[in-house]
Amino acid sequence: MKELMKSIESAIVAAGQCVSEAHYDCTTEEEAFQNLTHAEDMLEEALCNFAKLCNMVEVK
């Protein structure tokens, strides 16, 4: 359970960094799009892990 919580936190932090980089550091639209797509993937992973965590809590 702790591993899932840590994974969720890490994915959210990494997604935030990708969004920040897309906004401030990318010099082309393609770079920004790639960063935002990567952020989206990480948030989807975090959401899936959150759902798993919820299921674990319901069972207990």
Side-chain angles (χ1 to χ4, degrees), residues 2-3 7 15 19-20 27-28 32 34-36 39 44-45 56:
K2 286 183 181 183
E3 185 178 311
S7 174
V19 171
S20 180
T27 56
T28 67
Q34 288 176 350
N35 274 21
L36 292 175
E44 286 178 5
E45 178 185 338
M56 290 173 74

Side-chain angles (χ1 to χ4, degrees), residues 13-31:
V13 168
Q17 289 173 332
C18 283
V19 171
S20 180
E21 287 175 14
H23 184 70
Y24 296 109
D25 300 334
C26 292
T27 56
T28 67
E29 190 175 310
E30 180 64 27
E31 280 181 304

